[in-house]
Amino acid sequence: MSEPAIDIDRPHEPAQSPSPASPPEPGESTRAPWLIAAATSLTLLLLAGRYGYHRDELYFLLAGRHLDWGYVDQGPLVPVLARLLDTIAPGNLVVLRTPSALLAGGAVLLVAAIARELGAGRGAQTVAAGLAALSGIVLAGGHLLSTTTVDLLVWLVAAWCAVRLLRTGDSHWALGIGLALGVGMLSKVLPALLAVGLIAGVLIAGPRRLLRDRWVLVGAGIAVLLAAPNLIWQAANGFPQLGVAASISDGDSSYSGRLDAFTLQFVIISPYAVPIWIAGLVALLRRPAWRAYRAVGWAWVVVVGVVLIAGGKGYYDAPLLLVLTAAGAVVTVAWASRGSVRLRRGLLALGTVPFLLPNIVLLLPVLPADRLPGFVVDVNYDAGETIGWPAFADSVAAVHRGLPSEERSQAVILTSNYGEAGALARYGPARELPRAYSGHNSMVDFGRPPANAGVVIAVGWERADPLNAWFDECTLAGRVDQRVEVDNDENGGPIHVCRGLRRPWAQIWDSEVRHTG
């Protein structure tokens, strides 16, 4: 009897059973992952224009006006992309987010492709694609233009090439790994963490001959060559990303802190997927037929260990969790095809509604922004950071209009973070606001206020201590009103008017105003 096109089926079995040391041949290809990937990208595109810019997107747009080979907290790739897309369609959120939606679809295909490499039949490939499509990291990353979305695809491409290399023994696939990692390091240095994990995995589980294989060394050279512009910039500027990493380790960022990073391992794909990816990890480390792939399982162990010990963000290793999920899909579909088949498949189906579908509500802008429940922002911090930026600019403009006319002409704006500065760069000119400055991350390098700026509208300082150290007088002149009940970093925040700069900007800008996180 022929196998149905989409079904929970047995893993693909080759005509002749392989020896324990030989991995199974790839499963039969199917169109289902392509359909799921297309549906994922289309859904993300349809929702791309809802709510508004994320604080990071506003920062990328501003960084795109100051192109360089590197920035304090990232490489040049995403700012270049943001500038290109905003030049093509100024102010168009759908166009700005289109690459992320397409990359998310690509991630779904790659997860299914990794499962196929592991021997998955059509049903297991479909399950792997479905789990990826409804995962938190794919939905959240695919909705916004971000370095996270680039990292996701880069890690999955490198992982797919690594699995191909380990299955076939053809070290030419190392060139693909190097190419992916090198391009990824033009976005952030995180792909280097994957390289560390893969090298450690090979050292632990073999085959160690790969570490001296000429094509592996050429692949490493390609990665270093592509990453060189950003690495040289970092070196020339004292490796500022180390300062950002230290701030993240101290918990001074979203999704950071060791406890949060550990907890996120169990929700970043979905709670439903936890037993699946755990089964995939165990199979990669212990299944005799998958002995060739043990380095991939150990790579995740090493990477998540580094993240937890260093206090990194809990989603850093999420692409490798998707690789484990791909392996787990093979194991799970085989489990569901044995014994009480209806019962086992029924249990799998029942879990999709309470554990998978809520990701759509929590991570995508499907609810009205003006009635967004608090629990959504509690779970998905980024949702709150896409709401209310025009109203934020209105609040600052109201304070600016309240200044005496002689002060309005010499006033500047100083914001506590890059999102606020980016929002005022985007919405300020239409409200006749002066230029906004900030010492946050690379904003500090985009310019400081002019020496004759005698009046400063300071936005976002919950504690006025730094302002009081810089100015003779700071008065609370208003608060941000985003006109919706949303708990984000700006709503209700103070707006001060400060006068009497105690020391020149040139003396305090780099030493005191500059901050990372």
Side-chain angles (χ1 to χ4, degrees):
M1 181 179 294
S2 62
E3 187 183 68
I6 300 177
D7 190 16
I8 294 186
D9 55 8
R10 294 179 177 83
H12 175 77
E13 296 181 0
Q16 296 180 344
S17 297
S19 65
S22 301
E25 290 297 313
E28 185 178 352
S29 62
T30 175
R31 289 179 296 176
W34 289 89
L35 297 175
I36 294 172
T40 301
S41 294
L42 180 60
T43 300
L44 291 168
L45 287 172
L46 290 174
L47 296 173
R50 287 179 57 81
Y51 295 4
Y53 290 98
H54 186 271
R55 64 162 60 250
D56 289 353
E57 291 173 319
L58 293 165
Y59 178 42
F60 298 144
L61 289 167
L62 199 51
R65 300 181 187 178
H66 301 82
L67 292 179
D68 205 340
W69 283 112
Y71 300 88
V72 168
D73 48 357
Q74 61 185 302
L77 184 59
V78 175
V80 167
L81 188 58
R83 177 167 177 171
L84 174 64
L85 295 167
D86 199 53
T87 300
I88 294 170
N92 191 310
L93 266 179
V94 176
V95 172
L96 185 71
R97 293 171 174 172
T98 292
S100 295
L102 298 177
L103 291 177
V108 171
L109 285 176
L110 282 164
V111 172
I114 290 169
R116 180 172 179 264
E117 286 296 317
L118 297 173
R122 289 182 287 180
Q125 292 174 52
T126 302
V127 170
L131 288 169
L134 292 172
S135 68
I137 187 63
V138 169
L139 291 178
H143 174 57
L144 306 172
L145 177 67
S146 70
T147 55
T148 300
T149 319
V150 174
D151 282 340
L152 175 63
L153 195 76
V154 163
W155 283 49
L156 288 174
V157 168
W160 178 72
C161 290
V163 170
R164 293 275 294 182
L165 188 158
L166 293 170
R167 181 180 66 80
T168 63
D170 183 358
S171 58
H172 285 83
W173 286 101
L175 303 180
I177 298 173
L179 181 62
L181 296 180
V183 171
M185 289 181 68
L186 289 175
S187 175
K188 277 198 170 182
V189 296
L190 277 179
L193 180 59
L194 174 59
V196 169
L198 290 174
I199 292 171
V202 170
L203 281 171
I204 295 169
R208 296 185 182 91
R209 61 174 175 77
L210 289 176
L211 299 180
R212 56 181 183 274
D213 185 280
R214 64 173 180 173
W215 291 113
V216 173
L217 296 176
V218 171
I222 290 173
V224 172
L225 183 64
L226 289 172
N230 185 30
L231 295 177
I232 291 171
W233 186 94
Q234 287 288 325
N237 288 273
F239 290 101
Q241 281 201 2
L242 294 178
V244 176
S247 297
I248 292 172
S249 180
D250 291 337
D252 186 23
S253 186
S254 60
Y255 311 114
S256 64
R258 291 174 179 83
L259 180 59
D260 286 348
F262 177 77
T263 303
L264 205 58
Q265 304 304 308
F266 302 97
V267 297
I268 191 64
I269 306 300
S270 76
Y272 176 89
V274 171
I276 296 175
W277 67 253
I278 289 176
L281 174 63
V282 172
L284 285 171
L285 296 180
R286 301 191 61 180
R287 178 178 279 195
W290 284 1
R291 183 179 183 87
Y293 306 126
R294 287 183 183 174
V296 176
W298 280 109
W300 176 79
V301 174
V302 171
V303 168
V304 76
V306 171
V307 170
L308 294 177
I309 292 171
K313 295 192 178 186
Y315 59 77
Y316 285 172
D317 65 300
L320 282 181
L321 280 178
L322 283 176
V323 175
L324 301 185
T325 301
V330 181
V331 177
T332 301
V333 168
W335 172 83
S337 300
R338 297 192 301 266
S340 303
V341 174
R342 289 186 179 180
L343 176 61
R344 294 185 178 194
R345 293 180 180 181
L347 288 174
L348 291 176
L350 285 174
T352 59
V353 174
F355 290 113
L356 282 176
L357 296 183
N359 275 356
I360 296 175
V361 175
L362 293 172
L363 302 174
L364 296 180
V366 296
L367 299 177
D370 58 351
R371 295 191 298 276
L372 190 66
F375 70 82
V376 173
V377 178
D378 290 340
V379 173
N380 179 17
Y381 160 84
D382 289 324
E385 297 305 313
T386 61
I387 295 173
W389 290 113
F392 166 82
D394 288 339
S395 299
V396 178
V399 171
H400 181 249
R401 288 194 301 270
L403 294 175
S405 57
E406 64 274 12
E407 289 189 337
R408 280 201 301 273
S409 62
Q410 58 175 320
V412 297
I413 301 171
L414 183 66
T415 72
S416 64
N417 65 58
Y418 59 62
E420 296 162 348
L424 295 176
R426 172 62 54 173
Y427 299 111
R431 292 161 174 80
E432 299 182 345
L433 285 172
R435 179 177 171 179
Y437 299 86
S438 179
H440 189 203
N441 288 5
S442 276
M443 285 295 309
V444 74
D445 299 317
F446 298 164
R448 61 175 182 256
N452 63 349
V455 178
V456 172
I457 301 173
V459 186
W461 271 271
E462 289 292 343
R463 296 181 60 187
D465 296 354
L467 300 177
N468 291 330
W470 301 332
F471 300 97
D472 291 332
E473 173 193 354
C474 282
T475 304
L476 183 64
R479 288 192 174 273
V480 173
D481 180 8
Q482 294 183 310
R483 297 194 287 273
V484 292
E485 292 293 330
V486 61
D487 183 17
N488 60 23
D489 288 353
E490 280 65 46
N491 212 9
I495 306 175
H496 293 88
V497 173
C498 300
R499 299 175 177 88
L501 186 66
R502 293 183 173 181
R503 286 168 291 158
W505 288 109
Q507 291 184 13
I508 66 172
W509 191 248
D510 285 326
S511 60
E512 298 180 35
V513 182
R514 176 190 292 270
H515 62 284
T516 59

